[in-house]
Amino acid sequence: PQDRIPAYRLSADADLPGCGSLAALWRPAVTKDLNQARDEAGGLLWDLRSAAYVSLGPPPADDRTVTSRVLLQRGNKRTVVSHHNKATKGRIVRSLAQSTGKPRSAEDLAHALDGLGYRCELKAASGKPAQLDVIVDEV
């Protein structure tokens, strides 16, 4: 009981003595694994990580990759959901997993989520992952 327990978690911006930043250390492996997982699945990669963790290994920059944000709308103003971000994304993923749809493109994903009652806006740009914003009225 007297022993101190060292921190078991590193934040995305951690700098390790003798190793450098986590981003520099992990980026090649994470990027390789994301590409491999997407290619083996033969479909779409839906990257739900926060921006800090994306820096540890960016997703593939093509039309088979989608990144997402959850935006809270109050009146005409939208703000990025931060504190309840994971819980909201978890509910979205559970809804999709329980459905029969298997989206193969960014458009399929937006359509599937719309059919599940989520309000989505898809922004696609050539040579970049599509961005799917999910707009909620409460978190």
Side-chain angles (χ1 to χ4, degrees):
Q2 303 292 331
D3 291 345
R4 295 188 63 170
I5 298 172
Y8 65 93
R9 184 177 175 269
L10 297 173
S11 63
D13 62 352
D15 227 355
L16 301 173
C19 294
S21 72
L22 286 183
L25 186 64
W26 288 0
R27 187 175 292 121
V30 171
T31 299
K32 177 183 169 232
D33 287 347
L34 288 172
N35 279 293
Q36 183 177 345
R38 190 218 32 216
D39 292 344
E40 286 175 2
L44 187 66
L45 172 66
W46 188 15
D47 190 349
L48 295 168
R49 298 173 296 160
S50 66
Y53 290 95
V54 168
S55 72
L56 298 178
D62 59 29
D63 63 352
R64 291 177 41 216
T65 303
V66 178
T67 61
S68 284
R69 301 182 303 175
V70 177
L71 303 175
L72 177 63
Q73 183 157 350
R74 304 250 186 207
N76 291 329
K77 184 176 179 182
R78 291 181 180 173
T79 56
V80 175
V81 173
S82 58
H83 181 71
H84 296 284
N85 183 39
K86 288 180 190 176
T88 304
K89 286 178 179 175
R91 286 189 294 275
I92 293 167
V93 170
R94 181 180 58 221
S95 294
L96 186 61
Q98 291 173 338
S99 75
T100 57
K102 297 214 184 273
R104 304 300 263 172
S105 69
E107 293 80 11
D108 286 349
L109 178 60
H111 183 72
L113 294 180
D114 183 59
L116 293 169
Y118 293 98
R119 190 166 37 136
C120 301
E121 292 179 359
L122 182 64
K123 299 174 187 121
S126 181
K128 293 183 177 183
Q131 180 172 310
L132 181 67
D133 288 340
V134 179
I135 297 94
V136 297
D137 297 319
E138 60 183 69
V139 288

